[in-house]
């Protein structure tokens, strides 16, 4: 199978569908999705900081795809090659194109964006990806752990409680968007992906079939509240002097027997109150109440505090995603 020259530019709807089919074909062989949620949501995006690269076979079928994002502090990429088109130089061509694209300035025009070092995600930490990275002169600079735990032991458990001074409710689309975005940005100010979430990103997720506001919890400061009390799902804020202190968002794809603790965030001003532990318990209780078999989540391998919280909640390691960077950049530790 021989590829045509690479196509660079926005994707039309048929090509978006073909890339999704390509990703499905790779996952069926590799056992891990080659593209994460964000690139898949951005397949139809025409943005100055996003570059789409497509490789085709002589017959015109999509044989490979790469997406480069220059909108953060550096440039990152994800790429996939069809299982039937591997070891033909397509992956290396996609990577070379991503490396050149990483040197372009971002829309922000910040001088530091010129000559950015490319980082490349590989999902599932597969041997083939490690070999490809090593041959290209890349090494691991970041690890994203995939954790899970069974939910059977939580069936019928007592409802979690929130500390005195806080109340819990579910997210109201449209009414809570801006407040959530502000706290998310504060909670993940140092996170290269989550901290960049925009209103458009939130809207894209709200449009997904899996989105369910009943599985999206907000914890607020409740001035003048009484003693600690059971969790109540009582809708939107009633206008009292309440401020968002943290949140937990769950994700349950249709037909799946497992649910994801999609993201947990606590405002820096509310750190130390044990809200992360409470929110995790809320999420687990919600997923168990839906009759699911397992809860899963992703967490950075160097986030010691979060790892302790999840280990105490019964989570164990299932797999890992890794991010690579060129060995000669100085990003690789001793």
């Amino acid at each position: 199978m021989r590829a045509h020259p690479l196509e660079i530019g926005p994707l039309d709807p048929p090509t978006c569908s073909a890339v999704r089919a390509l990703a499905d074909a790779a996952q069926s062989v590799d056992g891990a999705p080659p593209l994460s949620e964000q690139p898949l949501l951005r397949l139809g995006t025409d943005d100055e900081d996003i570059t789409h690269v497509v490789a085709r076979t002589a017959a015109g079928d999509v044989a490979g795809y790469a997406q480069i994002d220059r909108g953060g502090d550096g440039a990152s990429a994800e790429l996939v090659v069809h299982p039937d088109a591997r070891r033909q130089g397509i992956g290396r061509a996609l990577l070379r194109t991503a490396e050149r694209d990483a040197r372009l300035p971002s829309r922000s025009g910040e001088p530091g964006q010129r000559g950015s070092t490319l980082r490349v995600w590989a999902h599932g930490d597969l041997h083939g990806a490690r070999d490809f990275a090593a041959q290209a002169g890349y090494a691991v600079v970041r690890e994203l752990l995939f954790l899970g735990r069974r939910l059977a032991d939580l069936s019928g458990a007592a409802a979690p409680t929130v500390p005195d001074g806080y109340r819990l409710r579910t997210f109201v689309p449209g009414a809570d968007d801006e407040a959530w975005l502000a706290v998310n940005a504060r909670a993940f100010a140092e996170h290269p992906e989550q901290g960049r979430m925009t209103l458009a990103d939130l809207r894209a997720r709200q449009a997904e079939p899996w989105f369910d506001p009943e599985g999206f919890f907000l914890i607020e400061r409740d001035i003048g509240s009484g003693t600690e009390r059971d969790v109540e799902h009582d809708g939107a804020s009633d206008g009292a002097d309440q401020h968002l202190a943290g949140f937990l968002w769950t994700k349950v794809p249709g037909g799946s027997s497992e649910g994801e603790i999609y993201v947990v965030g606590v405002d820096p001003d509310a750190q130390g109150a044990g809200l992360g532990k409470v929110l995790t318990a809320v999420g687990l209780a919600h997923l168990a109440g839906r009759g699911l078999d397992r809860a899963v989540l992703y967490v950075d391998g160097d986030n010691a505090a979060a790892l302790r919280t999840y280990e105490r909640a019964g989570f164990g390691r299932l797999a890992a995603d890794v991010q690579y960077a060129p060995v000669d950049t100085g990003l690789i530790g001793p």
Side-chain angles (χ1 to χ4, degrees):
M1 190 179 289
R2 189 168 177 269
H4 281 171
L6 301 181
E7 301 171 3
I8 300 176
L11 307 184
D12 57 25
T15 305
C16 289
S17 297
V19 170
R20 292 189 183 94
L22 164 62
D24 289 341
Q27 182 172 354
S28 68
V29 170
D30 300 331
L35 302 174
S36 60
E37 179 183 62
Q38 186 75 328
L40 288 171
L41 288 173
R42 288 178 170 174
L43 287 179
T45 299
D46 182 5
D47 187 281
E48 293 180 9
D49 288 340
I50 302 295
T51 301
H52 306 276
V53 187
V54 174
R56 294 186 184 272
T57 68
D61 298 323
V62 173
Y65 172 75
Q67 185 178 127
I68 304 95
D69 180 359
R70 302 187 315 279
D73 292 334
S76 65
E78 299 191 25
L79 59 90
V80 55
V81 177
H82 194 284
D84 294 338
R86 292 172 180 173
R87 298 178 180 84
Q88 298 179 29
I90 295 174
R92 191 69 187 93
L94 291 171
L95 181 60
R96 284 197 300 268
T97 302
E99 290 170 338
R100 288 194 295 268
D101 194 78
R103 292 190 286 270
L104 297 174
S106 75
R107 180 173 52 195
S108 66
E110 296 176 0
Q113 286 298 99
R114 294 183 180 274
S116 293
T117 296
L118 179 69
R119 299 189 183 209
V120 183
W121 278 108
H123 302 286
D125 195 13
L126 305 174
H127 289 300
R130 281 189 174 269
D131 291 343
F132 175 77
Q135 292 169 12
Y138 282 66
V140 174
V141 294
R142 182 179 169 197
E143 186 177 44
L144 189 65
L145 303 181
F146 184 53
L147 310 182
R149 63 151 293 166
R150 308 300 296 180
L151 292 170
D153 60 320
L154 294 178
S155 179
T161 56
V162 296
D164 186 28
Y166 296 91
R167 68 190 289 267
L168 193 89
R169 64 177 179 86
T170 50
F171 181 88
V172 178
D176 291 320
D177 295 1
E178 296 292 348
W180 178 81
L181 284 167
V183 171
N184 178 74
R186 283 167 54 79
F188 293 97
E190 303 301 321
H191 196 282
E193 293 94 22
Q194 186 66 30
R196 292 170 50 209
M197 184 80 74
T198 66
L199 182 59
D201 293 329
L202 177 59
R203 291 275 194 268
R205 286 156 177 76
Q206 290 173 342
E208 288 292 292
W210 57 261
F211 178 75
D212 178 13
E214 292 303 307
F216 193 162
F217 301 92
L218 306 181
I219 193 164
E220 300 174 314
R221 300 175 184 87
D222 191 0
I223 306 301
S225 66
T227 58
E228 186 178 62
R229 55 191 175 176
D230 287 344
V231 168
E232 299 175 357
H233 304 168
D234 52 1
S237 172
D238 57 9
D241 185 11
Q242 296 157 343
H243 304 280
L244 184 58
F247 58 87
L248 180 136
W249 191 350
T250 63
K251 174 182 178 181
V252 183
S256 177
S257 63
E258 65 182 29
E260 182 179 347
I261 303 293
Y262 188 53
V263 59
V264 185
V266 176
D267 190 291
D269 289 343
Q271 294 286 350
L275 299 186
K277 178 180 178 180
V278 171
L279 286 164
T280 300
V282 167
L284 289 173
H286 172 73
L287 296 175
R290 292 195 53 171
L292 300 172
D293 295 334
R294 186 169 72 174
V296 297
L297 59 84
Y298 289 91
V299 60
D300 271 290
D302 62 356
N303 190 339
L307 284 170
R308 284 194 298 270
T309 295
Y310 296 137
E311 287 170 359
R312 291 168 183 163
F315 284 89
R317 177 170 173 160
L318 299 175
D321 296 341
V322 293
Q323 191 178 58
Y324 293 94
V327 174
D328 59 0
T329 61
L331 295 173
I332 313 302

PDB file of all heavy atoms in Angstrom, residues 91-108:
ATOM      1  N   GLY A  91       4.204   6.932   8.941  1.00  0.00           N
ATOM      2  CA  GLY A  91       4.330   7.506  10.282  1.00  0.00           C
ATOM      3  C   GLY A  91       5.476   8.493  10.361  1.00  0.00           C
ATOM      4  O   GLY A  91       5.342   9.570  10.958  1.00  0.00           O
ATOM      5  N   ARG A  92       6.602   8.162   9.759  1.00  0.00           N
ATOM      6  CA  ARG A  92       7.756   9.069   9.798  1.00  0.00           C
ATOM      7  C   ARG A  92       7.452  10.350   9.025  1.00  0.00           C
ATOM      8  O   ARG A  92       7.850  11.443   9.443  1.00  0.00           O
ATOM      9  CB  ARG A  92       8.979   8.365   9.193  1.00  0.00           C
ATOM     10  CG  ARG A  92      10.282   9.127   9.431  1.00  0.00           C
ATOM     11  CD  ARG A  92      10.666   9.103  10.904  1.00  0.00           C
ATOM     12  NE  ARG A  92      11.818   9.947  11.193  1.00  0.00           N
ATOM     13  CZ  ARG A  92      11.747  11.211  11.588  1.00  0.00           C
ATOM     14  NH1 ARG A  92      10.577  11.788  11.740  1.00  0.00           N
ATOM     15  NH2 ARG A  92      12.834  11.894  11.870  1.00  0.00           N
ATOM     16  N   ALA A  93       6.745  10.240   7.907  1.00  0.00           N
ATOM     17  CA  ALA A  93       6.388  11.433   7.142  1.00  0.00           C
ATOM     18  C   ALA A  93       5.442  12.322   7.933  1.00  0.00           C
ATOM     19  O   ALA A  93       5.581  13.555   7.936  1.00  0.00           O
ATOM     20  CB  ALA A  93       5.745  11.026   5.812  1.00  0.00           C
ATOM     21  N   LEU A  94       4.493  11.718   8.616  1.00  0.00           N
ATOM     22  CA  LEU A  94       3.577  12.493   9.450  1.00  0.00           C
ATOM     23  C   LEU A  94       4.333  13.186  10.577  1.00  0.00           C
ATOM     24  O   LEU A  94       4.083  14.360  10.889  1.00  0.00           O
ATOM     25  CB  LEU A  94       2.494  11.582  10.031  1.00  0.00           C
ATOM     26  CG  LEU A  94       1.465  11.018   9.052  1.00  0.00           C
ATOM     27  CD1 LEU A  94       0.604   9.958   9.739  1.00  0.00           C
ATOM     28  CD2 LEU A  94       0.582  12.122   8.479  1.00  0.00           C
ATOM     29  N   LEU A  95       5.278  12.476  11.193  1.00  0.00           N
ATOM     30  CA  LEU A  95       6.046  13.060  12.290  1.00  0.00           C
ATOM     31  C   LEU A  95       6.913  14.214  11.794  1.00  0.00           C
ATOM     32  O   LEU A  95       6.999  15.261  12.449  1.00  0.00           O
ATOM     33  CB  LEU A  95       6.912  11.986  12.949  1.00  0.00           C
ATOM     34  CG  LEU A  95       7.767  12.450  14.133  1.00  0.00           C
ATOM     35  CD1 LEU A  95       6.884  13.006  15.250  1.00  0.00           C
ATOM     36  CD2 LEU A  95       8.635  11.304  14.655  1.00  0.00           C
ATOM     37  N   ARG A  96       7.569  14.053  10.651  1.00  0.00           N
ATOM     38  CA  ARG A  96       8.401  15.143  10.109  1.00  0.00           C
ATOM     39  C   ARG A  96       7.555  16.386   9.833  1.00  0.00           C
ATOM     40  O   ARG A  96       7.976  17.521  10.101  1.00  0.00           O
ATOM     41  CB  ARG A  96       9.103  14.693   8.833  1.00  0.00           C
ATOM     42  CG  ARG A  96      10.291  13.783   9.047  1.00  0.00           C
ATOM     43  CD  ARG A  96      11.168  13.713   7.802  1.00  0.00           C
ATOM     44  NE  ARG A  96      10.432  13.210   6.655  1.00  0.00           N
ATOM     45  CZ  ARG A  96      10.375  11.934   6.295  1.00  0.00           C
ATOM     46  NH1 ARG A  96      11.021  11.028   7.011  1.00  0.00           N
ATOM     47  NH2 ARG A  96       9.695  11.560   5.229  1.00  0.00           N
ATOM     48  N   THR A  97       6.353  16.168   9.312  1.00  0.00           N
ATOM     49  CA  THR A  97       5.456  17.299   9.044  1.00  0.00           C
ATOM     50  C   THR A  97       5.060  17.979  10.344  1.00  0.00           C
ATOM     51  O   THR A  97       5.019  19.212  10.433  1.00  0.00           O
ATOM     52  CB  THR A  97       4.209  16.818   8.293  1.00  0.00           C
ATOM     53  OG1 THR A  97       4.608  16.190   7.074  1.00  0.00           O
ATOM     54  CG2 THR A  97       3.284  17.983   7.969  1.00  0.00           C
ATOM     55  N   ALA A  98       4.785  17.185  11.374  1.00  0.00           N
ATOM     56  CA  ALA A  98       4.432  17.749  12.684  1.00  0.00           C
ATOM     57  C   ALA A  98       5.592  18.543  13.264  1.00  0.00           C
ATOM     58  O   ALA A  98       5.398  19.615  13.866  1.00  0.00           O
ATOM     59  CB  ALA A  98       4.017  16.628  13.639  1.00  0.00           C
ATOM     60  N   GLU A  99       6.807  18.047  13.091  1.00  0.00           N
ATOM     61  CA  GLU A  99       7.987  18.758  13.605  1.00  0.00           C
ATOM     62  C   GLU A  99       8.142  20.113  12.920  1.00  0.00           C
ATOM     63  O   GLU A  99       8.440  21.123  13.579  1.00  0.00           O
ATOM     64  CB  GLU A  99       9.232  17.905  13.394  1.00  0.00           C
ATOM     65  CG  GLU A  99       9.290  16.679  14.291  1.00  0.00           C
ATOM     66  CD  GLU A  99      10.400  15.725  13.907  1.00  0.00           C
ATOM     67  OE1 GLU A  99      10.857  15.780  12.742  1.00  0.00           O
ATOM     68  OE2 GLU A  99      10.813  14.928  14.763  1.00  0.00           O
ATOM     69  N   ARG A 100       7.927  20.150  11.619  1.00  0.00           N
ATOM     70  CA  ARG A 100       8.016  21.438  10.892  1.00  0.00           C
ATOM     71  C   ARG A 100       6.903  22.379  11.341  1.00  0.00           C
ATOM     72  O   ARG A 100       7.129  23.577  11.545  1.00  0.00           O
ATOM     73  CB  ARG A 100       7.938  21.197   9.390  1.00  0.00           C
ATOM     74  CG  ARG A 100       9.183  20.563   8.795  1.00  0.00           C
ATOM     75  CD  ARG A 100       9.189  20.649   7.279  1.00  0.00           C
ATOM     76  NE  ARG A 100       8.102  19.866   6.693  1.00  0.00           N
ATOM     77  CZ  ARG A 100       8.234  18.604   6.308  1.00  0.00           C
ATOM     78  NH1 ARG A 100       9.383  17.969   6.471  1.00  0.00           N
ATOM     79  NH2 ARG A 100       7.218  17.970   5.753  1.00  0.00           N
ATOM     80  N   ASP A 101       5.708  21.834  11.510  1.00  0.00           N
ATOM     81  CA  ASP A 101       4.574  22.663  11.910  1.00  0.00           C
ATOM     82  C   ASP A 101       4.770  23.232  13.314  1.00  0.00           C
ATOM     83  O   ASP A 101       4.328  24.339  13.612  1.00  0.00           O
ATOM     84  CB  ASP A 101       3.289  21.828  11.861  1.00  0.00           C
ATOM     85  CG  ASP A 101       2.043  22.684  11.932  1.00  0.00           C
ATOM     86  OD1 ASP A 101       1.675  23.281  10.904  1.00  0.00           O
ATOM     87  OD2 ASP A 101       1.449  22.774  13.027  1.00  0.00           O
ATOM     88  N   ALA A 102       5.424  22.472  14.181  1.00  0.00           N
ATOM     89  CA  ALA A 102       5.647  22.927  15.559  1.00  0.00           C
ATOM     90  C   ALA A 102       6.481  24.193  15.610  1.00  0.00           C
ATOM     91  O   ALA A 102       6.408  24.952  16.582  1.00  0.00           O
ATOM     92  CB  ALA A 102       6.336  21.823  16.365  1.00  0.00           C
ATOM     93  N   ARG A 103       7.256  24.451  14.571  1.00  0.00           N
ATOM     94  CA  ARG A 103       8.119  25.631  14.560  1.00  0.00           C
ATOM     95  C   ARG A 103       7.399  26.899  14.106  1.00  0.00           C
ATOM     96  O   ARG A 103       7.975  27.984  14.132  1.00  0.00           O
ATOM     97  CB  ARG A 103       9.341  25.365  13.678  1.00  0.00           C
ATOM     98  CG  ARG A 103      10.288  24.319  14.258  1.00  0.00           C
ATOM     99  CD  ARG A 103      11.600  24.264  13.500  1.00  0.00           C
ATOM    100  NE  ARG A 103      11.457  23.625  12.206  1.00  0.00           N
ATOM    101  CZ  ARG A 103      11.607  22.318  11.993  1.00  0.00           C
ATOM    102  NH1 ARG A 103      11.872  21.517  13.010  1.00  0.00           N
ATOM    103  NH2 ARG A 103      11.482  21.816  10.777  1.00  0.00           N
ATOM    104  N   LEU A 104       6.142  26.747  13.703  1.00  0.00           N
ATOM    105  CA  LEU A 104       5.369  27.920  13.302  1.00  0.00           C
ATOM    106  C   LEU A 104       4.871  28.657  14.538  1.00  0.00           C
ATOM    107  O   LEU A 104       4.646  28.058  15.588  1.00  0.00           O
ATOM    108  CB  LEU A 104       4.174  27.494  12.446  1.00  0.00           C
ATOM    109  CG  LEU A 104       4.506  26.811  11.114  1.00  0.00           C
ATOM    110  CD1 LEU A 104       3.216  26.323  10.459  1.00  0.00           C
ATOM    111  CD2 LEU A 104       5.240  27.771  10.192  1.00  0.00           C
ATOM    112  N   PRO A 105       4.649  29.984  14.449  1.00  0.00           N
ATOM    113  CA  PRO A 105       4.130  30.728  15.596  1.00  0.00           C
ATOM    114  C   PRO A 105       2.668  30.404  15.831  1.00  0.00           C
ATOM    115  O   PRO A 105       1.938  30.070  14.908  1.00  0.00           O
ATOM    116  CB  PRO A 105       4.299  32.194  15.180  1.00  0.00           C
ATOM    117  CG  PRO A 105       4.247  32.148  13.687  1.00  0.00           C
ATOM    118  CD  PRO A 105       4.906  30.855  13.286  1.00  0.00           C
ATOM    119  N   SER A 106       2.240  30.503  17.095  1.00  0.00           N
ATOM    120  CA  SER A 106       0.830  30.318  17.416  1.00  0.00           C
ATOM    121  C   SER A 106       0.070  31.602  17.120  1.00  0.00           C
ATOM    122  O   SER A 106       0.647  32.642  16.842  1.00  0.00           O
ATOM    123  CB  SER A 106       0.657  29.949  18.890  1.00  0.00           C
ATOM    124  OG  SER A 106       0.854  31.087  19.700  1.00  0.00           O
ATOM    125  N   ARG A 107      -1.241  31.519  17.210  1.00  0.00           N
ATOM    126  CA  ARG A 107      -2.077  32.681  16.964  1.00  0.00           C
ATOM    127  C   ARG A 107      -1.766  33.805  17.937  1.00  0.00           C
ATOM    128  O   ARG A 107      -1.926  34.980  17.637  1.00  0.00           O
ATOM    129  CB  ARG A 107      -3.549  32.263  17.078  1.00  0.00           C
ATOM    130  CG  ARG A 107      -4.546  33.392  16.846  1.00  0.00           C
ATOM    131  CD  ARG A 107      -5.946  32.827  16.824  1.00  0.00           C
ATOM    132  NE  ARG A 107      -6.190  32.008  17.999  1.00  0.00           N
ATOM    133  CZ  ARG A 107      -7.211  31.161  18.104  1.00  0.00           C
ATOM    134  NH1 ARG A 107      -8.048  31.006  17.108  1.00  0.00           N
ATOM    135  NH2 ARG A 107      -7.388  30.459  19.208  1.00  0.00           N
ATOM    136  N   SER A 108      -1.299  33.436  19.143  1.00  0.00           N
ATOM    137  CA  SER A 108      -1.000  34.457  20.146  1.00  0.00           C
ATOM    138  C   SER A 108       0.158  35.349  19.709  1.00  0.00           C
ATOM    139  O   SER A 108       0.291  36.477  20.180  1.00  0.00           O
ATOM    140  CB  SER A 108      -0.643  33.791  21.482  1.00  0.00           C
ATOM    141  OG  SER A 108       0.579  33.072  21.361  1.00  0.00           O
TER     142      SER A 108
END
